[in-house]
């Protein structure tokens, strides 16, 4: 069974600081997703990572994928309050599945002034 | 940007009652999904649907659950006899797996409360 582990689960940062969220997964997969969720809201797609060494950036967020280590990172640069949300990584497939996404538990990010 | 729409946004029901949650996926997408999120927990896969049949389902998706695409636009999740533990936010999603860089687009969710 595919397992997806995120850490940290809770992250409190000061504005302007940098930090990284880690996502480890247990079996081979062909793609990894990062989503953002605001309280009571739906899941907003941030990045889709398809191949080893893939790096994508959008504003202050940068995601990378190392398929050999089964590790993805979401790096936050110079955090601002608007980035406060829960961030989920999700991995597709594993265990013979083609369609299912397995989510991590999420990282609740709070950016303080 | 096109979006997945879900109705109702909130549904309150009594234990043992049937509920139907409705979704309109993005129009050119062919793959449809239901996920759920119990308060404070991670998002869990329920079922995927393609070409008018279930392509995959989780152990959560037991005989009490069913999905249907009754027409060309709607996608529904039915829970036949609700239990207290079915209380959760239910998300519909759709995707176009023909696209290499495909994303899974989620609807805004239906908050189901079983009393």
């Amino acid at each position: 069974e595919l397992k997806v582990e995120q850490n940290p689960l809770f992250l409190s940062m000061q504005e302007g600081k940098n930090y990284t969220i880690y996502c480890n997964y247990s079996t081979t997969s062909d793609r990894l997703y990062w989503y953002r969720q605001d309280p009571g809201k739906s899941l907003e797609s941030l990045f889709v990572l398809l191949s080893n060494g893939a790096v994508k950036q959008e504003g202050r967020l940068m995601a990378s994928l190392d398929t050999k280590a089964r590790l993805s990172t979401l790096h936050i640069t110079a955090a601002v309050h608007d980035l406060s949300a829960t961030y989920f990584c999700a991995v597709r497939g594993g265990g013979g599945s083609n369609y299912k996404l397995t989510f991590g538990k999420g990282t609740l990010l709070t950016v303080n002034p | 940007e096109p979006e997945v729409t879900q109705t109702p946004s909130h549904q309150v029901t009594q234990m043992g009652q049937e509920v139907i949650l409705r979704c309109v996926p993005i129009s050119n997408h062919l793959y449809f999904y239901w996920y759920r999120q119990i308060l404070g927990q991670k998002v869990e896969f329920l079922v995927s649907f393609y070409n008018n049949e279930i392509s995959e389902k989780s152990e959560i998706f037991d005989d009490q659950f069913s999905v249907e695409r009754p027409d060309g636009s709607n996608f529904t999740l039915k829970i036949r006899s609700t239990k207290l533990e079915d209380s959760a936010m239910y998300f519909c999603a759709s995707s176009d797996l023909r696209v290499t860089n495909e994303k899974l687009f989620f609807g805004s969710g239906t908050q189901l409360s079983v009393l």
Side-chain angles (χ1 to χ4, degrees):
Chain A
E1 181 190 340
L2 175 60
K3 294 191 190 311
V4 180
E5 301 281 344
Q6 272 182 253
N7 71 84
L9 299 182
F10 300 93
L11 178 54
S12 182
M13 315 175 50
Q14 294 289 325
E15 277 191 329
K17 299 291 188 184
N18 305 331
Y19 210 85
T20 300
I21 299 170
Y22 297 88
C23 175
N24 288 93
Y25 54 99
S26 60
T27 64
T28 303
S29 173
D30 66 345
R31 60 193 65 198
L32 186 140
Y33 302 78
W34 284 97
Y35 284 90
R36 169 184 170 141
Q37 186 181 39
D38 292 296
K41 303 290 186 184
S42 186
L43 296 149
E44 176 191 353
S45 178
L46 295 175
F47 302 107
V48 182
L49 302 170
L50 302 178
S51 59
N52 189 43
V55 176
K56 290 195 175 179
Q57 181 160 8
E58 182 76 33
R60 299 174 189 274
L61 300 178
M62 183 173 71
S64 67
L65 179 62
D66 180 344
T67 56
K68 292 176 183 169
R70 296 180 189 151
L71 170 69
S72 180
T73 61
L74 180 67
H75 186 72
I76 302 151
T77 302
V80 292
H81 179 69
D82 285 353
L83 290 180
S84 297
T86 300
Y87 292 85
F88 292 94
C89 66
V91 178
R92 192 177 84 168
S97 166
N98 290 321
Y99 306 101
K100 168 184 170 181
L101 291 193
T102 300
F103 282 78
K105 289 185 177 180
T107 297
L108 176 59
L109 171 65
T110 305
V111 182
N112 303 303
Chain B
E1 188 171 66
E3 57 181 30
V4 176
T5 57
Q6 287 186 244
T7 55
S9 56
H10 293 85
Q11 175 89 51
V12 181
T13 190
Q14 296 289 326
M15 193 168 56
Q17 295 296 305
E18 175 184 286
V19 293
I20 298 176
L21 309 183
R22 302 180 192 279
C23 169
V24 179
I26 294 172
S27 61
N28 63 338
H29 286 182
L30 301 178
Y31 296 82
F32 315 120
Y33 313 84
W34 285 99
Y35 285 79
R36 78 173 187 190
Q37 185 179 31
I38 295 171
L39 184 64
Q41 298 187 25
K42 66 178 181 178
V43 179
E44 300 175 293
F45 170 80
L46 294 178
V47 66
S48 60
F49 191 86
Y50 169 70
N51 200 25
N52 283 321
E53 61 182 26
I54 290 173
S55 46
E56 195 170 349
K57 61 182 181 179
S58 72
E59 56 276 6
I60 301 169
F61 194 89
D62 62 21
D63 292 344
Q64 293 300 312
F65 291 86
S66 62
V67 289
E68 195 177 39
R69 188 154 164 82
D71 53 42
S73 59
N74 290 287
F75 180 51
T76 61
L77 174 69
K78 182 194 291 187
I79 309 175
R80 264 181 270 281
S81 177
T82 51
K83 303 190 276 285
L84 295 176
E85 54 265 38
D86 293 328
S87 295
M89 179 74 91
Y90 287 80
F91 292 108
C92 175
S94 70
S95 68
D96 182 359
L97 290 182
R98 297 168 296 181
V99 177
T100 302
N101 197 27
E102 61 89 17
K103 293 181 182 181
L104 205 61
F105 291 85
F106 284 83
S108 54
T110 294
Q111 181 65 57
L112 177 64
S113 299
V114 182
L115 307 178

